Amino acid sequence: QALLSLCLGEPPVPRGLTSNPDLPAQTLSLRWQSDSSLFDLEIFHTELMNVVLNETVAVKADPVTGLHSWTWHSPLPLECTSLSVHIRARNQLSVSQWSPLQTIPGSDIPVKSESYMFPQDKMVPVGSNMSFCCIVKEKEDFKEIMYGRQEMNATRLSRRTYAITVTNQPASGNTGTNVICFSQRLTLTGAVVFVGYPPGDEGLVCETRDLASAECSWKKGRDTRLRMKRSRTKYTLNGRQETHYTRTTDRTHCPICSKVWEENWTLVARNPLGTVQLTDSAQLTDRVHLLAPANVTVVEVKAWSATLQWSWSVAAYKKLEMVCQLRLFTHELSSTRNYGGPGLSSVVLEGLWPDSDYTVTLRCGSKHSFWKWGDESGPYRIHTKMDRPDALDVWMWMDSSNTGCVFWKPLSVRKSHGALDGYEVSQSSAEEDGWTTVSLPPGNFSYPIILNNSSDITVAVAARNPAGLSQPSTVTTPAYRADSQLSVSELLGTNGSFVLSWEPNVNASSGYVVEWFPTGCSGLCPVDWKKLPESDSSFTVNSDSLVAGVRYTVSVYSLSTGAPLLLQRWQGYSQEMIPSQSVSELSPNQTGSDVLLSWRATDMKQQRGFIRGYTIYLANAAHLDLIANITDPEVQSYRVKGLSLSSYKFVVKAYTSAGEDAGATVAIKMEMDTDMLFVGILVPLGIMFCCLILISICCYKKREWVKKAFYPEIPGPKVPGDWSSPQGPLDVKPSPHSLVHIVESPEWDFTKEGLFPVPEEEEESENDNIEVDTDSDEPALLRYYNQVVGDGSHSNQVSDSSGSSTASVGSTQTEITYAGIQSPTSSQGVCGGGSYRPQMQSVAGPKIEFEADFQDDGLNTGYKPQGSWQLDSPEAENLSGSLGSPTSVTSSQFLIPECSEEKPQPPNTWFHNLLSGKS
C-alpha cells in the first residue's frame, strides 16, 4: 500500500495510531508515525457514526522518538459513548488514505446494563459551560434530564446515551447543583456539580502585639461556594501550613504566625479552582499594635477634675514611648483628649463639670512610627462633686401700670452644678436701709415687684444648691417709664428670624439687652431676652425662639450703672401667615341703589400678619368677581354703587403679605326705596302746585287782560224804537206759508205738555232721517214740544222730553220760526235769569189771546206776550207756573221781553270773580 501510494504520488498512510484517554480531564491523546507534518483528523461517535471532529492539524514529529503527538479536549465526558478516530497525511498536492479506525470504548457498551451519569462531583468555576450525559440501562425509556429545577433539551448520542449542555453556570448552593436523569417510570441516575470561585483573599498585614512575635491577618475574599472538605481553601505562610486561624466578619487572623519577627511574609491561598499569593514586609517598630489598658480606676475626684490610673499586661510597654487617647461621654456629648509619655499609666482630667456623670474609655499607641491605636479599654464611670451654681441671667419687665416683674433664666445642668434647692430674691431702694430677702422654690423663675415713683429699685437674685449660693445677679428698675411715648416701628422677619440693628449708644457701658415677647399678652408674658456686649450694635433673633404668625414686640435697651434705657422698639412677625379668622360684624346697608358694607377688623391674635388691606368680591355661582381692593387697612367700609333690584352676595377678605383669609360672606336683597318713591311722587306734585300758584298769581295781576282775552262781557241787546209801551194784544196775521200748525187737543196734560228748546246737536242726531228743504228761503225752524216747563235743571228737562217728543212729533208739535234768536246757555234768561216763555193755548175757544201770567215770585222780568189771556177754566187753576198755549207766529223780528233798566248781571262764579278781582 505504501508502494502504491508512492507510485500514485500520495503521501504514505500514517502508521501505528494509538490513543490514550484521560477521563477526569476529558482529553484524548493520539500518537502515530508518519513522514508528513500535516494531517487530517476525524473523530466519530462509534455507534451512530456522527462526526464529532473534522480538522486539519500540523504536527511535527518528536526528534527523539520520531512520533507525532496530538491531544483533543472532548466537550463530553469520554465515558458517555464509544469514539472512533482515524487519520491521514496531507501534502501540498494530495492526501493519503485514511488509517484504520481506532475505537475508544465508552460506558454504553452492551456489556454494562446499568444507568450512569457523567461527570460525577466535578468542580468548575462560575460562568463556565459544561456537558452532562445519561446512559440509560437496557429496557428503560429515556424521559428527560433536569439541571437543578430546569428541564434541559437532551441530544441522543447512541442507543442508550443522551447528553445536555449547560452554558454560563451560576454559583451552586452549599450542597452543589443536582443533575438528574429520569425515565418514563423512575429516576435513573444523577450527578452533582460544584460551581464556585477560586480564592479571593487579599491585604496581608503582619504586626506585633508584644514587641517580639508576629500576628498576621488578611482580608477574606468572596465566598468560594465550595463546601466539601477537599475543596476548601488552604493557606501556607512562608511555606508553613497554617491550620490555626480565626475568622471575623471581614478578616482572617493567624494569632501567632511566628514567634520571631521575620520582616518578610508570603501567604498562598489555594482551592481546586485556583491559587492566590500575598506578600508583606515591615520593621518591628513600625507595626506595634498595643493591647488595651488594664485595671482602669479613678484615684481622686473633684468638682472640676479627676485623676485616672491604669496598668499594662506587657512589661515591655513600660519603656515604650506612647500616646494615649481618652474619650469622655456625658449627656449625649463626647470629647477626646490625648496624652503622651513613656509607659503612660495615669492622667489628670481637667475641665470637668460639677455634679456630672462621665464615661471614660482609653486606648494607646506607639508614638514612634505610629501604626494604629491599640485595643480600647472598657468604659469606666466617673461622677464629679457639686459646686456653687453660676450667676443667673436676670432681666426685668414692666407693664404700663406701677407693677413689674423680675425674670431669670433657668440654669442648665452644667451651670447649676448640682440640684437646686431654690432661689433667694433681695430687694432694695434708696428710701429703705438694707435688703429685703425672700426665698422661692426651684420651680419659680419670676418675682413681682411694685414700682416706686420716687426712686429706683434694685433687685438681686441668687440660685442655691447644697454647695452654696451663686453670685447674685442685680437689675435696677426705673422709677417711671413712659414707653407709650416712644414710636413703634414695623419689623419684617427674614427667613423666620428678626435681624436687628441700632445706633450705638455712648451710655451703654455695660452693653445692650434685646427683649422680645408676644404683643398683647396679658398676665405673666413669656418674655425672652439676650444680653450683648457694648461693641455689638446688631443682633439676630433666631427662629427657634419665635413662632410663625405671632406678633412680637422687640425692644433694645442700653445698660449702664443705673436703670436700663429704652433705645428702640419694633413690632413684627417672624413669618407672616394668612389670617386665621375672617373679618367680624360684616353687615350691608342699602341706600337707594347703593349698598354700604361695613365690618370690624380681625383681632390681633387671629391676624397672624400685618393687615395690608381688604378685597371685596361679588359671589357668583362658581367664582368670585373682584369689586375693589382697599389698600388702607384703616378703612373698614365700602360702598357698592349702582345695583339693580336683585339678590347679591358679597365676600370681604382681609389679606397679609402671605395671602387672603377665608373671607366673610353677607347677602342682601335689593328692594324698592319707599322714601325715594314718596319723593318721586311728592316732588312732581309740589312742582305742579307751585306752577299753579305762579300761574294764578300771574293771572291775578293780568286779570283785566285775561278777562278781555278769554271771558269778554256780552253786551246787552239794544232795541231800536220805543219798547216801553204798556202790554197789549199782538195782532198777527197768519202767513199762508206758516210752518206753525195749531193742533187742538181735546185734553191737556199740564204735567207733560210744555215748551222747551231742543239743542241743535240733539236735534240733528234725532232727525238725521228727516229731509230738509235746503232750497227753501224759509228761515230755520225752531221746534217746541208740548211740555210743562218746570223748575228743574236743563239736564232733567232733556231727559224727560226725550220720551214725549217722539210720541208728539206728528200730532202735537208746533213749529215756530224765528230769525236769529240767540238762546242763552243756561236755564236762566239774560234779564235776571228769566227764560223765554211761549204763549199758552186757551182751551175755551180758538180766539188767540196773550196774557202774561207768571206764578214765579222771583221772576218779574222776561218776555211778555202781547194781549191777555184769562185763565177761567178749571184746569187753569192748576197751571201754576205755566207759560201759556202754543201760538204759530211767522215773524222776522225778535220777541224781546221787557227788561228793567238795570244791566244784566253776569253769572256769579269763582272764576268770574277771580277775573273781575272781586273777593
Side-chain angles (χ1 to χ4, degrees), residues 86 149 167 183 295 325 557 653 689 695 714 728 752 843:
H86 60 182
R149 296 183 180 182
T167 59
S183 68
N295 302 322
Q325 186 181 74
Y557 297 85
K653 296 183 179 182
F689 183 72
I695 293 172
I714 300 175
K752 292 184 179 180
V843 296

Side-chain angles (χ1 to χ4, degrees), residues 620-913:
N620 290 327
H623 61 281
L624 300 178
D625 295 332
L626 179 63
I627 298 177
N629 182 10
I630 302 174
T631 58
D632 185 2
E634 299 300 326
V635 177
Q636 297 178 6
S637 64
Y638 181 76
R639 183 178 297 274
V640 184
K641 300 180 179 180
L643 299 177
S644 60
L645 298 181
S646 182
S647 296
Y648 297 92
K649 183 181 291 184
F650 298 98
V651 179
V652 178
K653 296 183 179 182
Y655 62 88
T656 65
S657 60
E660 298 177 335
D661 61 15
T665 304
V666 67
I668 185 174
K669 182 178 181 181
M670 300 294 290
E671 297 179 351
M672 178 67 70
D673 192 350
T674 56
D675 296 337
M676 294 303 297
L677 180 61
F678 292 150
V679 171
I681 294 174
L682 295 178
V683 168
L685 290 177
I687 294 173
M688 184 178 66
F689 183 72
C690 293
C691 291
L692 292 176
I693 293 175
L694 292 176
I695 293 172
S696 300
I697 294 173
C698 182
C699 292
Y700 177 76
K701 291 183 177 181
K702 301 293 183 178
R703 60 186 179 277
E704 295 297 334
W705 176 84
V706 173
K707 179 179 180 181
K708 293 179 181 180
F710 297 98
Y711 200 78
E713 292 186 359
I714 300 175
K718 295 182 180 181
V719 181
D722 188 6
W723 284 75
S724 60
S725 57
Q727 184 175 347
L730 179 60
D731 186 11
V732 180
K733 295 181 179 181
S735 173
H737 301 288
S738 177
L739 297 178
V740 178
H741 300 276
I742 299 174
V743 179
E744 295 182 359
S745 178
E747 296 180 359
W748 187 267
D749 190 355
F750 291 99
T751 62
K752 292 184 179 180
E753 295 181 3
L755 299 178
F756 76 94
V758 178
E760 294 179 1
E761 294 83 356
E762 186 177 350
E763 178 67 15
E764 290 174 359
S765 61
E766 292 178 356
N767 299 303
D768 289 340
N769 57 348
I770 301 176
E771 295 182 0
V772 180
D773 188 3
T774 57
D775 296 334
S776 175
D777 295 332
E778 298 296 331
L781 301 178
L782 179 61
R783 299 181 179 179
Y784 290 86
Y785 296 93
N786 297 332
Q787 202 170 33
V788 175
V789 179
D791 295 335
S793 64
H794 179 69
S795 60
N796 293 334
Q797 294 171 358
V798 173
S799 61
D800 293 339
S801 62
S802 61
S804 61
S805 61
T806 305
S808 60
V809 167
S811 59
T812 61
Q813 69 177 357
T814 303
E815 296 182 358
I816 303 175
T817 302
Y818 295 96
I821 295 179
Q822 184 175 1
S823 301
T825 57
S826 63
S827 60
Q828 296 180 352
V830 177
C831 299
S835 61
Y836 169 74
R837 302 178 183 272
Q839 295 81 352
M840 297 288 294
Q841 180 182 4
S842 175
V843 296
K847 181 179 179 179
I848 301 174
E849 293 182 358
F850 295 92
E851 182 179 356
D853 186 7
F854 301 98
Q855 301 298 326
D856 295 338
D857 297 335
L859 295 179
N860 298 320
T861 61
Y863 171 75
K864 299 179 181 180
Q866 293 79 356
S868 59
W869 183 49
Q870 299 296 329
L871 299 177
D872 297 333
S873 61
E875 295 86 354
E877 294 179 359
N878 297 329
L879 293 178
S880 176
S882 64
L883 299 180
S885 62
T887 305
S888 176
V889 180
T890 300
S891 176
S892 62
Q893 302 297 326
F894 291 110
L895 299 180
I896 304 299
E898 292 184 0
C899 298
S900 64
E901 296 299 329
E902 296 179 0
K903 294 183 180 180
Q905 297 290 333
N908 189 12
T909 62
W910 69 271
F911 187 68
H912 186 273
N913 295 335

Side-chain angles (χ1 to χ4, degrees), residues 28 92 132 146 229 248 287 316 374 412 417 423 450 561 642 651 670 767 781 819 841 844 864 883 886 910:
L28 179 64
Q92 297 180 353
F132 299 87
M146 299 288 293
K229 185 176 181 179
T248 59
R287 298 289 179 86
S412 63
H417 305 164
Y423 300 95
I450 298 177
T561 56
V651 179
M670 300 294 290
N767 299 303
L781 301 178
Q841 180 182 4
K864 299 179 181 180
L883 299 180
W910 69 271

Side-chain angles (χ1 to χ4, degrees), residues 184-260:
Q184 297 293 341
R185 297 185 303 109
L186 47 80
T187 300
L188 297 176
T189 184
V192 179
V193 60
F194 299 93
V195 184
Y197 299 96
D201 302 81
E202 57 184 1
L204 175 64
V205 176
C206 294
E207 60 189 13
T208 181
R209 305 298 302 269
D210 56 2
L211 303 179
S213 62
E215 292 185 6
C216 297
S217 63
W218 56 92
K219 185 178 180 181
K220 183 177 65 175
R222 60 187 173 185
D223 187 5
T224 62
R225 298 296 183 95
L226 302 178
R227 298 290 185 268
M228 292 189 302
K229 185 176 181 179
R230 63 183 180 87
S231 63
R232 294 176 182 173
T233 303
K234 297 179 175 56
Y235 299 95
T236 59
L237 180 64
N238 286 353
R240 299 184 295 272
Q241 184 73 33
E242 294 297 335
T243 57
H244 302 286
Y245 53 83
T246 59
R247 289 183 177 179
T248 59
T249 55
D250 59 344
R251 296 189 69 83
T252 302
H253 296 267
C254 175
I256 303 178
C257 298
S258 176
K259 294 183 179 182
V260 179

